[in-house]
Amino acid sequence: MRRLSTGFAAAALLAALGLQALAAPPAAAPAAAPSGPPNALQGFARNRDEPIRINSNTLEVRDKEKIAVFAGNVVVTQGDTTLRSPQLFVYYDGDVAAVQTGAPSESSKIRKLEATGGVVVQTKDQTATGDTGVFEMKTNTVTMTGKPVVLTQGPNVIRGQRLVVDLTSGVSKFEGGRVESLIVPGSMKQDPAAAPAAPRR
C-alpha cells in the first residue's frame, strides 16, 4: 500500500493504467442521438477526446487489491464536465509499478471508477446529483444511485432512484421506482439544435 501526493502521481497513475477518456466508445460504433432524460453525465461522452484531470487531497494505491483511492475534495474534469465527490475509487487490472516512473504499461487498464459519499456532475447548464456514481469501462456506462438522484437543467427537474446512461449510444433511463418530473414549458427552446430529447413518461 502506498500513499502518494497528488499532482504528478495522479497523472502518472492514469498514464500507467492507460486511461485516455472516461467515455471512449468503440471505433466502429455508429453515432446515435441522445435519448431519455437530459443529464450532465452525457457530457463525458461529448468530451471523450479531452484530457482528464483529477485533483484530490490524497492518493492511495493498494497494489494487492488493485485499487487506487483519491480522497478529500475530489474533482474530476474532462472538457466542460466536472465531477465532485469525497472519494473516487479506481479499480484496475495488471500492475501499477509504472506509477513511480510515469511509464505507461500495456498490461494495465482501468476496469471501473466509483465515486462515493455524495456525487455532483455538472456540465454547462445541467447538473446531476446522487449518492454514488459508477463508470463501467467494459460496457461504457455510468450508473448513478441516490435517494434520490436529481437532474436539473435550468428550471426543469427530474428525480428518481437509479439513473443509467449508455455513453456509447447516448441513451439514458431511470430505473427502480417512480420518476418525478417538473418540466417548464418553453424552457428548452433557447437552442433547438442542442436541446436534449424530452424525457419519456
Side-chain angles (χ1 to χ4, degrees):
M1 184 168 65
R2 306 185 189 122
R3 283 191 175 275
L4 307 171
S5 60
T6 53
F8 171 77
L13 174 68
L14 298 180
L17 296 177
L19 180 59
Q20 299 300 316
L22 288 177
S35 65
N39 64 83
L41 299 177
Q42 291 172 341
F44 286 117
R46 184 177 61 252
N47 296 307
R48 63 179 176 265
D49 294 327
E50 298 289 336
I52 296 171
R53 294 177 176 82
I54 300 179
N55 290 296
S56 63
N57 293 339
T58 63
L59 169 59
E60 181 179 295
V61 178
R62 303 173 184 172
D63 297 325
K64 293 183 179 180
E65 301 173 63
K66 306 297 184 184
I67 302 173
V69 183
F70 294 86
N73 191 28
V74 180
V75 180
V76 181
T77 58
Q78 186 177 26
D80 63 3
T81 302
T82 302
L83 179 149
R84 300 176 186 276
S85 68
Q87 289 190 113
L88 176 67
F89 295 85
V90 180
Y91 298 83
Y92 58 89
D93 293 322
D95 65 76
V96 289
V99 170
Q100 293 177 319
T101 62
S105 171
E106 293 183 1
S107 63
S108 301
K109 61 181 180 179
I110 299 288
R111 278 193 299 112
K112 179 173 70 172
L113 301 178
E114 183 176 1
T116 64
V119 182
V120 179
V121 180
Q122 293 178 304
T123 180
K124 295 185 178 179
D125 64 337
Q126 298 178 1
T127 302
T129 62
D131 297 331
T132 63
V134 178
F135 295 73
E136 293 282 357
M137 299 304 168
K138 185 175 181 179
T139 59
N140 205 31
T141 59
V142 183
T143 302
M144 183 174 279
T145 58
K147 296 184 179 179
V149 173
V150 180
L151 304 180
T152 60
Q153 182 177 32
N156 304 306
V157 181
I158 305 176
R159 293 182 176 88
Q161 295 182 18
R162 174 184 167 95
L163 173 66
V164 180
V165 181
D166 186 319
L167 295 170
T168 302
S169 66
V171 174
S172 56
K173 59 183 177 180
F174 273 100
E175 301 175 339
R178 293 183 62 80
V179 179
E180 297 179 10
S181 302
L182 172 63
I183 307 298
V184 178
S187 62
M188 306 292 284
K189 295 181 179 179
Q190 292 85 353
D191 186 359
R200 297 177 181 177
R201 299 194 179 214

